[in-house]
Amino acid sequence: MEDEGEWEGKRDADGLWTGRGTLHTPDGGCWQGKMAQGLKQGRGVARFSDGATVEGSWRAGVLTGPGVYTADDGARIVGPFVDGILQGDVTEFDADGTLTFTGRYSDGLRDGDGVAQLPLDSGTLTGRWDAGSATGDGFVFAYPGGGVMLRGRWVEGEMEL
């Protein structure tokens, strides 16, 4: 445990971290929340050295259930974590709070049906993602206002008409 960082909080009879406190990690990050038997347990916030954070609930040291990942620039992903990885229906927002994506994640990446709101209000992209990339048939690009739409195949994030 000691090599995992410095704990500001109580220890149980076995010397394991327990109760509420702050764990400062060697890489410059920290955990603020509750510990039980030396493991993260319950609601807490993990702050990483790059400025990103994850808020959610931990069980036996693993992020599980609803959570929010916030990048260092303020962009957020809201969704369920399974074994510490985003998995299931998520919503992404950019730094100013504008919705940028709603859809499915698998293994921490866009994977499955989703709708991406493109930057600068330039339209939407609806289709199926595969391992983080817009790939396959049936994608629809809709220009703002809904007047003109393009339907086509996407290969590695590029549309083929």
Side-chain angles (χ1 to χ4, degrees), residues 22-86:
T22 301
L23 173 64
H24 299 277
T25 59
D27 65 1
C30 75
W31 155 260
Q32 293 176 303
K34 195 174 176 185
M35 293 280 205
Q37 298 178 335
L39 300 172
K40 297 170 187 161
Q41 185 70 26
R43 300 251 350 129
V45 178
R47 298 181 196 288
F48 303 99
S49 59
D50 66 1
T53 64
V54 176
E55 297 178 54
S57 293
W58 276 255
R59 274 188 243 141
V62 178
L63 180 59
T64 303
V68 178
Y69 169 83
T70 304
D72 64 335
D73 67 357
R76 294 177 301 130
I77 304 172
V78 179
F81 286 81
V82 176
D83 293 329
I85 299 171
L86 275 164

Side-chain angles (χ1 to χ4, degrees), residues 75-157:
R76 294 177 301 130
I77 304 172
V78 179
F81 286 81
V82 176
D83 293 329
I85 299 171
L86 275 164
Q87 194 94 340
D89 293 328
V90 304
T91 308
E92 296 178 17
F93 301 90
D94 66 14
D96 68 8
T98 302
L99 177 69
T100 58
F101 178 80
T102 53
R104 306 263 320 152
Y105 263 52
S106 179
D107 294 326
L109 299 170
R110 292 177 181 177
D111 197 70
D113 294 334
V115 178
Q117 309 294 324
L118 302 177
L120 303 173
D121 205 19
S122 59
T124 60
L125 181 62
T126 303
R128 180 175 279 283
W129 274 255
D130 182 25
S133 182
T135 301
D137 295 320
F139 271 88
V140 175
F141 174 81
Y143 287 94
V148 178
M149 295 195 314
L150 299 173
R151 183 178 185 88
R153 176 177 174 75
W154 283 70
V155 177
E156 297 178 11

